[in-house]
Amino acid sequence: MSSLRRITALVACALAPLAAIAASSALGSGASHTVTATERDFAISLPHVIPAGTVDIRVTNRGPDQHELIAVRAAKGALPLRHDGLTVSEEALAKAEVGALEPGKPGETRDLKVILTPGRYVFFCNMSGHFMAGMHTTVVVK
Ligand SMILES: [Cu+2]
């Protein structure tokens, strides 16, 4: 190995960990982690506290209906409803939405990847009547 090649190899080895650190810090707090969620008629279970960062949410729908999952950042209080009085106004919450899954079949497991900064979030299903029936849960991200 020539000395130039050796130096190039040494520099590459020295920089690789720095590149990895830069990549992870660009995503917020660094490591991504996985949490599990369960949906059923008519409830959503998720941990009440989730660490900030990139989060993979593994969502299993235990049915018997199809269910969707929408995540919004919400400081406090009730979410705005549409005029039908049965569904949440996703239009009013567009800027607060951090992620969403379309309706999934009973028995299906799906992944929702979100980047969560510290704060309060509400996860809900907005299929007609499901939110009002109890398909929502509040999560604090720390
Ligand atoms: Cu639902």
Side-chain angles (χ1 to χ4, degrees):
M1 186 185 275
S2 75
S3 59
L4 181 58
R5 286 180 72 121
R6 181 173 302 198
I7 288 168
T8 304
L10 285 173
V11 169
C13 288
L15 292 180
L18 293 178
I21 290 166
S24 64
S25 62
L27 292 172
S29 70
S32 79
H33 45 272
T34 301
V35 300
T36 57
T38 304
E39 296 184 306
R40 68 176 68 84
D41 295 25
F42 294 99
I44 298 172
S45 69
L46 257 172
H48 296 299
V49 179
I50 295 178
T54 303
V55 184
D56 277 307
I57 303 173
R58 301 223 77 192
V59 188
T60 299
N61 180 8
R62 302 222 179 274
D65 259 337
Q66 294 195 20
H67 296 294
E68 57 187 15
L69 186 66
I70 299 168
V72 296
R73 200 181 155 98
K76 58 168 68 174
L79 298 183
L81 295 180
R82 290 181 179 133
H83 293 303
D84 63 8
L86 292 173
T87 51
V88 172
S89 175
E90 293 173 45
E91 300 73 26
L93 290 168
K95 286 182 180 165
E97 187 178 307
V98 295
L101 287 175
E102 292 300 314
K105 296 189 179 92
E108 253 182 17
T109 296
R110 298 171 297 154
D111 290 307
L112 176 63
K113 186 176 216 158
V114 289
I115 297 174
L116 301 176
T117 55
R120 179 182 181 273
Y121 295 79
V122 177
F123 287 74
F124 62 98
C125 172
N126 208 26
M127 295 180 68
S128 189
H130 292 203
F131 175 82
M132 297 303 284
M135 287 201 74
H136 53 86
T137 188
T138 300
V139 172
V140 174
V141 174
K142 290 184 175 175

